Amino acid sequence: MVFKRKVYDKLLEWKEKSGGKSAILLEGARRIGKSTVAEMFAKNEYEDYILLDFAMEDKVVRQNFKENIGDMDIFFRNLFLLKGKSLPERKAVIIMDEVQLFPFARQAVKYLVADGRYDYIETGSLISIKKNVKDILIPSEEYRVKMFPMDFEEFMWAQGDMVTVPAIRDAFQNRKPMGDAIHRRILQHFRTYMAVGGMPQAVAALVEGLNYEEIDFIKRNIVTLYEDDLRKYDEDNREKASVVYKTIPEQLERRSSHFRFSLVDKNARYKNYVDAVSFVAESMIGNECCNVTSPSVSLEAYADRSNFKLYMGDTGLLVTQMMHSGEDTGTDLYKAIIFDKLGINQGMLLENMVAQMLRANGYSLYFHEFWDRLEEEEKGKKYEIDFLIVKKKKICPIEVKSSGYKRHKSFDRFAQKYQLKMEDRFVIYSKDLKYENGITYIPFYMTICL
């Protein structure tokens, strides 16, 4: 089952604007559909293509890159002989799949693009990890695009619904509520998306009518694949990336979801685990959210990376992790999420979902922790803004409320303390859209509009 993906439009834009002057690299976690969309694009937009899958290509194909890249006539003659087909010039594309497994092919892009006979699409995960860029020259002719799990709109497309999200965007743009009946219907779709997640195999299983236990089995296999990748990294680097990844659900269950290394190991320290955390984030199976010491529009300049949160890259996989570490089993947990009967754990899922949606919209993740004290108070208190984004060169603070949305002391103190020119203040919650006292309240599914 092949789904419509938004990254397809980015591939079209690259093909039109590049004119063969650059290759495109689709970067993302494993099993999010990179290879599928690349091959679908090749079939639809070119007369022909060759797929080089470096997870499977034999030694001879690899040697051709190493030995003959200096003579393109010989290189292509050998490639066509090895693949059993030739390609029409300027009308075909070569896909280099899982290119991180053969970094030399990535380096060769410089010469292949300069040759000009064909277009090139690379796909890969762990692209920026040290061992995958060691001893190679990263080509400047490479246009990089990050790809994420299916977002809420793509999830709705997969079920044949092309009208719901445009209606959501229209309501957000005009600051008009959806209406109770429509809101409840969309919120249930959103909760189903949160439970199943955005991994294409899991979404396909839902569309095909498989039950939640069967869907969870698919997701469990993906989690196991990720854990195997992390263990391989641990073997090479003596780090504990696999343990860091496994503790994410436990980290998020805490009242304060700040990452605590004591949950990894009682003697663990940030300096000893910083590479492991970076690996989880760079592999895009986790989303790192850093504290900023000052709410400036230049957020990265004030990032304190020793104070951070770590979310799962896909909330559906977080649900699977929860199911295998808790008392709920089978369809019970899924039904509890979809019908809003989960209770105490729903806050962590909803916050993870907002983080995932913001990342899919292109935002890096930041939060702000600050102390403040009113004149009549003897001691100051610590407050926190869940997320900060920048829109129109102005700060937009975001609070996520799974319950108790009428209280927002952090927002109030934030506005009083900094006196910033803010584009908007958003509370993301479970009810319909409304505007009140300078705050825009939006339902969880409307995060897609930010």
Side-chain angles (χ1 to χ4, degrees):
M1 188 174 291
V2 178
F3 298 122
K4 180 182 178 183
R5 303 297 300 272
K6 292 179 180 178
V7 77
Y8 194 101
D9 291 335
K10 293 183 179 180
L11 287 165
L12 279 174
E13 182 182 15
W14 158 76
K15 184 175 185 288
E16 179 182 348
K17 292 183 177 180
S18 170
K21 302 299 183 185
S22 68
I24 190 168
L25 168 64
L26 296 182
E27 178 184 7
R30 297 179 70 183
R31 298 292 178 88
I32 61 165
K34 301 184 299 296
S35 305
T36 301
V37 74
E39 193 162 5
M40 179 172 66
F41 184 79
K43 289 178 179 177
N44 293 345
E45 308 299 335
Y46 293 89
E47 288 188 11
D48 205 352
Y49 71 98
I50 282 177
L51 172 64
L52 300 176
D53 183 352
F54 288 111
M56 301 177 63
E57 294 299 337
D58 59 27
K59 185 177 179 180
V60 183
V61 171
R62 294 170 182 249
Q63 283 179 333
N64 189 42
F65 274 89
K66 289 185 175 181
E67 296 174 0
N68 299 315
I69 202 69
D71 189 325
M72 287 297 167
D73 291 332
I74 295 176
F75 173 82
F76 286 116
R77 181 200 67 190
N78 289 359
L79 180 64
F80 295 158
L81 285 169
L82 290 166
K83 303 306 292 185
K85 66 186 298 186
S86 60
L87 298 175
E89 293 187 11
R90 294 309 316 144
K91 297 178 181 179
V93 63
I94 295 175
I95 302 171
M96 295 191 286
D97 199 20
E98 302 290 359
V99 74
Q100 79 281 355
L101 298 176
F102 187 48
F104 198 88
R106 189 179 175 200
Q107 178 173 280
V109 160
K110 176 180 179 67
Y111 308 101
L112 293 168
V113 168
D115 175 71
R117 301 183 206 194
Y118 308 105
D119 284 354
Y120 300 91
I121 300 173
E122 304 167 79
T123 76
S125 55
L126 312 177
I127 288 296
S128 301
I129 302 306
K130 292 177 183 177
K131 72 175 184 179
N132 292 332
V133 296
K134 185 181 179 182
D135 301 327
I136 71 164
L137 181 66
I138 304 301
S140 59
E141 297 79 5
E142 188 179 77
Y143 175 55
R144 294 173 64 174
V145 173
K146 289 188 181 295
M147 186 174 171
F148 298 92
M150 296 173 72
D151 70 11
F152 182 52
E153 186 167 23
E154 291 170 328
F155 177 80
M156 297 301 288
W157 288 346
Q159 299 174 85
D161 185 333
M162 304 293 177
V163 300
T164 292
V165 174
I168 291 170
R169 294 189 191 280
D170 182 69
F172 176 83
Q173 186 68 30
N174 294 295
R175 297 299 195 267
K176 293 183 178 179
M178 301 296 299
D180 288 344
I182 297 297
H183 166 70
R184 287 195 298 269
R185 173 182 168 274
I186 298 174
L187 192 60
Q188 187 164 333
H189 282 303
F190 176 78
R191 287 185 172 278
T192 303
Y193 168 60
M194 183 167 67
V196 172
M199 306 306 284
Q201 285 177 285
V203 176
L206 178 73
V207 173
E208 291 167 0
L210 274 64
N211 63 44
Y212 288 115
E213 287 188 1
E214 292 170 312
I215 292 170
D216 196 75
F217 179 78
I218 290 168
K219 294 195 292 174
R220 177 78 263 170
N221 287 336
I222 295 173
V223 170
T224 301
L225 176 71
Y226 288 173
E227 290 174 350
D228 288 344
D229 286 343
L230 293 169
R231 277 192 289 269
K232 291 175 185 176
Y233 171 80
D234 287 342
E235 289 173 5
D236 294 340
N237 296 271
R238 297 183 182 179
E239 291 291 352
K240 301 298 179 185
S242 55
V243 181
V244 166
Y245 180 69
K246 283 182 178 180
T247 65
I248 291 177
E250 187 179 1
Q251 302 281 356
L252 296 177
E253 279 181 336
R254 301 169 66 255
R255 190 168 181 269
S256 170
S257 53
H258 294 214
F259 196 91
R260 293 289 180 264
F261 285 101
S262 59
L263 296 179
V264 177
D265 186 294
K266 63 180 181 180
N267 297 316
R269 295 292 182 270
Y270 173 74
K271 65 178 182 180
N272 297 325
Y273 278 80
V274 60
D275 287 345
V277 173
S278 296
F279 182 87
V280 172
E282 289 182 30
S283 64
M284 297 175 68
I285 63 174
N287 289 323
E288 187 179 16
C289 182
C290 296
N291 179 51
V292 289
T293 56
S294 175
S296 164
V297 291
S298 303
L299 290 169
E300 180 58 32
Y302 296 92
D304 173 12
R305 297 200 170 275
S306 65
N307 184 5
F308 68 97
K309 304 175 185 180
L310 191 59
Y311 300 101
M312 291 281 281
D314 179 76
T315 308
L317 297 184
L318 177 58
V319 170
T320 293
Q321 293 287 62
M322 285 173 57
M323 193 174 92
H324 287 265
S325 63
E327 296 179 359
D328 293 312
T329 58
T331 60
D332 292 341
L333 178 61
Y334 283 87
K335 287 181 179 179
I337 294 169
I338 292 167
F339 296 105
D340 194 13
K341 304 294 184 184
L342 186 60
I344 193 168
N345 285 329
Q346 75 169 342
M348 64 182 277
L349 291 177
L350 291 165
E351 189 173 327
N352 197 93
M353 191 75 257
V354 170
Q356 180 180 338
M357 295 174 82
L358 290 174
R359 284 292 288 133
N361 283 357
Y363 293 107
S364 296
L365 301 180
Y366 303 97
F367 69 96
H368 181 54
E369 188 178 59
F370 63 99
W371 286 86
D372 195 25
R373 181 177 68 86
L374 296 179
E375 290 183 3
E376 64 271 17
E377 294 176 340
E378 290 186 16
K379 295 181 179 180
K381 293 182 180 179
K382 186 183 287 187
Y383 297 91
E384 185 177 302
I385 303 297
D386 291 330
F387 298 101
L388 291 178
I389 62 174
V390 175
K391 293 175 70 70
K392 298 180 182 178
K393 298 182 179 180
K394 294 179 183 177
I395 287 288
C396 291
I398 296 171
E399 283 280 274
V400 180
K401 296 287 188 182
S402 58
S403 62
Y405 70 91
K406 293 182 179 180
R407 298 181 63 202
H408 37 73
K409 282 188 177 180
S410 293
F411 256 23
D412 299 337
R413 292 294 180 89
F414 180 81
Q416 292 168 10
K417 181 178 177 69
Y418 293 107
Q419 300 292 313
L420 296 169
K421 291 183 178 179
M422 288 178 274
E423 173 63 16
D424 261 316
R425 289 190 290 166
F426 293 103
V427 168
I428 302 176
Y429 72 149
S430 61
K431 298 184 182 297
D432 204 352
L433 183 148
K434 71 173 182 177
Y435 182 82
E436 187 175 273
N437 298 325
I439 298 173
T440 304
Y441 295 79
I442 62 173
F444 287 103
Y445 54 77
M446 240 174 231
T447 307
I448 199 170
C449 302
L450 296 181

